[in-house]
Amino acid sequence: MHNAVFQQLGMDYLYVAFRVRKEELSEAIHGIRALGIRGINVTIPHKVDVIPLLDELDPLAERIGAVNTIVNDDGVLKGYNTDATGFQQALLEEGVEPKGKDVVILGAGGASRSVSFILAQEGANLVILNRRLELDWAKELARQISQFFDKEVGALELSEENLTAVLREADIVVNATSVGMSPSINETPVPSKLLKPGLVVFDIVYNPIKTRLLREAEAAGAKTIGGLNMLAWQGALAFEQFTGQKAPVDLMRKEAIKVLSGNEK
Ligand code: ATR
């Protein structure tokens, strides 16, 4: 995505991937300064562990407790979370306004944290469902959000019974679990009989581009938003932090589709 834009706009940047071992994260982050790298994206499993290694944190990233974008300003490393703002932009682009809406979030892992915080910030009413309630991740996330925004947030086990109950009233459901992700493309976190017109179904899984959840939601007449939109937007917002220039998000989305549909063959 990034390289396609750099090429198209004739910008002298290059985006490359580095695999970094957990025990070498600190060296890798210090290396950004030493090598004069302008910025990086951080992905699983380092989004939380990079935080103590940074000089500054954007307030939203601090609140979420996860960073996916680091910008190097003359040796000062600042962390951002464009997963959250990317999700927000993807909703906005589809004309979905979360304020006052009842939103069901599936999953309580890293991706769910970003999505849940930004939705709470936007004024949505949240209930978080997670498979392993015994780990209390959903409850802990709900507690943190309700403390920060002074607002009640529900936490329930991800069971069919609970899903049936919460989806009856819901306006938006977000899949922030990995259910349905390649190679388990025949799985879905929501039984199709619970999908209905009027519901907005946002699946943050982007591989495959059209998950089983999205296909069944579409067939049920629900409005669907795929994870590819969030992927493109988090990239676009990171690009803007790196370069100070507006990102051509449609070009980035097109590139991502090109690569991902290659994967599906
Ligand atoms: P990410 O950074 O992508 O959010 P993560 O932090 O590992 O990754 O979180 C993955 C989420 O998907 C978790 O909420 C996980 O539920 P558990 O906490 O119970 O593990 C959820 N998940 C993964 N596989 C699942 C499955 N088969 N059914 C339900 N939830 C699942």
Side-chain angles (χ1 to χ4, degrees):
M1 289 193 298
H2 289 273
N3 287 330
V5 179
F6 296 148
Q7 232 169 48
Q8 173 128 345
L9 301 186
M11 297 171 79
D12 190 13
Y13 288 84
L14 180 67
Y15 191 98
V16 290
F18 297 99
R19 185 179 295 276
V20 175
R21 287 194 206 96
K22 256 181 173 303
E23 59 278 14
E24 284 170 351
L25 183 62
S26 173
E27 282 95 324
I29 298 299
H30 281 107
I32 296 173
R33 291 193 194 87
L35 296 171
I37 292 171
R38 169 60 182 157
I40 63 160
N41 284 124
V42 184
T43 190
I44 293 170
H46 301 311
K47 288 184 186 181
V48 176
D49 296 340
V50 289
I51 289 179
L53 304 169
L54 303 178
D55 303 306
E56 289 176 10
L57 264 188
D58 173 73
L60 178 65
E62 182 170 19
R63 208 171 298 155
I64 294 168
V67 157
N68 80 320
T69 301
I70 300 173
V71 177
N72 174 12
D73 267 323
D74 292 328
V76 178
L77 302 184
K78 180 164 179 179
Y80 299 86
N81 188 313
T82 71
D83 289 330
T85 45
F87 174 83
Q88 183 185 28
Q89 283 299 320
L91 272 182
L92 195 74
E93 182 181 52
E94 289 295 322
V96 180
E97 161 67 70
K99 191 172 169 57
K101 298 280 164 52
D102 290 329
V103 183
V104 175
I105 297 166
L106 312 178
S112 170
R113 279 191 75 82
S114 299
V115 165
S116 302
F117 264 94
I118 198 79
L119 282 168
Q121 184 175 297
E122 294 278 290
N125 308 312
L126 306 184
V127 53
I128 302 167
L129 274 63
N130 202 40
R131 171 180 57 174
R132 292 179 295 171
L133 208 63
E134 76 278 5
L135 287 181
D136 272 352
W137 281 9
K139 277 193 189 148
E140 177 55 19
L141 180 56
R143 191 192 62 74
Q144 288 176 15
I145 294 173
S146 52
Q147 193 176 5
F148 193 87
F149 295 100
D150 195 19
K151 165 173 193 144
E152 208 175 304
V153 177
L156 294 169
E157 188 185 346
L158 179 49
S159 66
E160 185 165 340
E161 195 186 345
N162 285 337
L163 260 179
T164 308
V166 295
L167 285 180
R168 215 170 277 141
E169 302 294 324
D171 301 301
I172 303 171
V173 58
V174 183
N175 176 35
T177 73
S178 47
V179 180
M181 191 188 291
S182 180
S184 308
I185 58 169
N186 291 321
E187 289 176 15
T188 176
V190 184
S192 60
K193 62 177 187 235
L194 301 180
L195 301 166
K196 58 187 181 195
L199 187 68
V200 176
V201 178
F202 195 139
D203 195 343
I204 72 163
V205 172
Y206 59 79
N207 188 13
I209 295 172
K210 205 174 252 187
T211 59
R212 179 174 164 191
L213 173 62
L214 290 175
R215 280 188 274 117
E216 292 182 346
E218 210 173 82
K223 180 178 177 62
T224 58
I225 309 176
L228 193 99
N229 297 295
M230 178 176 169
L231 176 74
W233 272 108
Q234 66 73 30
L237 295 168
F239 176 96
E240 293 180 8
Q241 295 292 354
F242 297 149
T243 65
Q245 289 198 35
K246 196 134 190 59
V249 68
D250 288 330
L251 174 61
M252 296 182 88
R253 191 176 354 229
K254 229 170 66 198
E255 272 306 304
I257 291 172
K258 212 192 298 173
V259 174
L260 287 167
S261 34
N263 284 353
E264 277 170 25
K265 276 175 202 137

